[in-house]
DNA sequence: ATTTGTGAACATGTTCACAGCT
DNA sequence: AGCTGTGAACATGTTCACAAAT
């Protein structure tokens, strides 16, 4: 059976072997001393830990460039994230079909989200509208949101919001470069 | 003069007042006891700390949907990140003009990057090509790269690479939701 | 011989709580 | 009275180094 050592995993992930072993040991003992980690069971364990052993229903709000790029990420579906609904406010886009998913009006959010049991939202709307849309999503029972708009959003516990802001990342990069020149 | 307290800053940033004060105190003493932080000088200090008091020349590689969305982020320019060059490999795009910046062939990377003193690269190419393009950028003397392709890239010290991967973020979100249900 | 799993040592990050200014 | 700046206490995260397992 194919195995992999903490050393190799560390190199791939950009960390240390000790770190990999400590992290894994926190969730159980998956390796064999002298051998390493058998890959297929390790993958299964990690999928279980990360909550990827089930599939998630996802609603994409915003069918602009960022939304469409996200929609075509093959890795979403591979990891069990299924975009089962797309919402936009542009009448020119509503009704279109993207690979079997029809774009609906944001006005239909409540019905769509509650009717399909969506738990995760992908927010790809303009920054100025992001908080309002988030609030509505939370009102519909969405439990987690990945926000692509360049604003920091807030939602009440226990809703989880992650902001993915390229500007913020550039500033972090700028700081890193500034301190090493 | 308008001031702001560590308390208010903490609420905005989603952290605690003590944390804000500790963090700021690491770089100097910017506040006034009994009053708070005077906003304009604080902003200046932060810009200085983050390396935003200067402007950065940026090259955008990849003029697809993600690239074009990035290009139009108004916040980039506002924070001093100037995309002065766009590269793509698609002959149908080369030669086009985006708001005063002409799209050039990736083949011209060496000349463009070295000729203009670009220090930061924005990578918006397909995942399969990202590492190769990164290596070339590093070869041209780029010091920092923000990678939007869904792969983890590596570059030798002291080059700084940040990966911005929506799939990875969704998995983190999944983990957060998994552990609280 | 090799590689895990893990206490113990070390390092870093966060919160507390209060003296010191305004 | 109000709010910062900061040591000290506490918590969390990382590395070391080695016994245990194959």
């Amino acid at each position: 059976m194919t195995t992999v050592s903490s050393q190799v995993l560390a190199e791939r992930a950009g960390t240390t072997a000790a770190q990999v072993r400590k992290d894994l040991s926190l969730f159980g003992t998956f390796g064999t001393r002298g051998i390493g980690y058998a890959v297929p069971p390790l993958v299964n364990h990690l999928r279980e830990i990360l909550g990827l052993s089930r599939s998630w229903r996802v609603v994409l709000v915003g069918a602009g460039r960022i939304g469409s790029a996200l929609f075509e990420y093959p890795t979403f579906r591979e990891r069990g994230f299924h975009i089962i609904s797309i919402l936009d406010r542009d009448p020119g886009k509503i009704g279109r079909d993207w690979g079997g998913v029809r774009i609906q009006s944001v006005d239909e959010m409540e019905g769509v989200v509650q009717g399909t049991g969506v738990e995760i939202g992908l927010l790809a709307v303009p920054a100025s509208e992001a908080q309002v849309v988030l609030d509505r999503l939370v009102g519909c029972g969405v439990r987690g949101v990945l926000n692509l708009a360049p604003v920091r959003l807030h939602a009440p516990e226990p809703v989880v919001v992650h902001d993915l802001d390229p500007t913020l990342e550039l500033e972090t990069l700028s700081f890193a470069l500034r301190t090493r020149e």
Side-chain angles (χ1 to χ4, degrees), chain A:
Chain A
M1 173 118 54
T2 315
T3 62
V4 65
S5 67
S6 56
Q7 178 59 44
V8 169
L9 288 171
E11 276 160 22
R12 299 259 194 134
T15 179
T16 65
Q19 187 70 71
V20 168
R21 296 202 301 277
K22 251 281 145 62
D23 286 357
L24 290 175
S25 75
L26 235 84
F27 294 98
T29 105
F30 311 127
T32 310
R33 297 173 186 221
I35 306 292
Y37 300 88
V39 173
L42 179 61
V43 169
N44 287 335
H45 281 125
L46 289 175
R47 289 172 63 88
E48 197 70 47
I49 291 164
L50 290 169
L52 302 176
S53 53
R54 52 163 287 188
S55 76
W56 295 90
R57 287 160 184 272
V58 178
V59 57
L60 168 63
V61 190
R65 276 173 309 206
I66 295 180
S68 72
L70 284 176
F71 185 72
E72 289 179 21
Y73 265 53
T75 34
F76 283 169
R77 185 164 291 237
E78 284 164 18
R79 300 298 166 87
F81 298 99
H82 297 278
I83 297 175
I84 58 162
S85 168
I86 307 169
L87 304 175
D88 201 290
R89 64 166 179 188
D90 178 359
K93 281 177 186 150
I94 294 164
R96 284 196 203 171
D97 184 285
W98 281 4
V101 184
R102 198 169 56 85
I103 300 177
Q104 291 173 274
S105 166
V106 280
D107 297 336
E108 302 180 52
M109 183 192 292
E110 282 69 17
V112 166
V113 170
Q114 285 162 359
T116 55
V118 159
E119 289 177 276
I120 291 178
L122 283 176
L123 252 190
V125 303
S128 54
E129 301 185 50
Q131 184 65 57
V132 173
V133 176
L134 171 59
D135 294 343
R136 278 184 69 194
L137 280 171
V138 170
C140 297
V142 164
R143 300 172 54 224
V145 172
L146 184 60
N147 167 43
L148 284 300
V151 256
R152 193 165 276 274
L153 303 182
H154 297 280
E157 283 284 333
V159 176
V160 184
V161 178
H162 280 214
D163 302 302
L164 215 60
D165 183 348
T167 310
L168 217 56
E169 288 302 320
L170 264 190
E171 292 180 358
T172 309
L173 201 65
S174 164
F175 176 67
L177 295 177
R178 193 88 193 75
T179 58
R180 71 175 63 191
E181 75 189 356

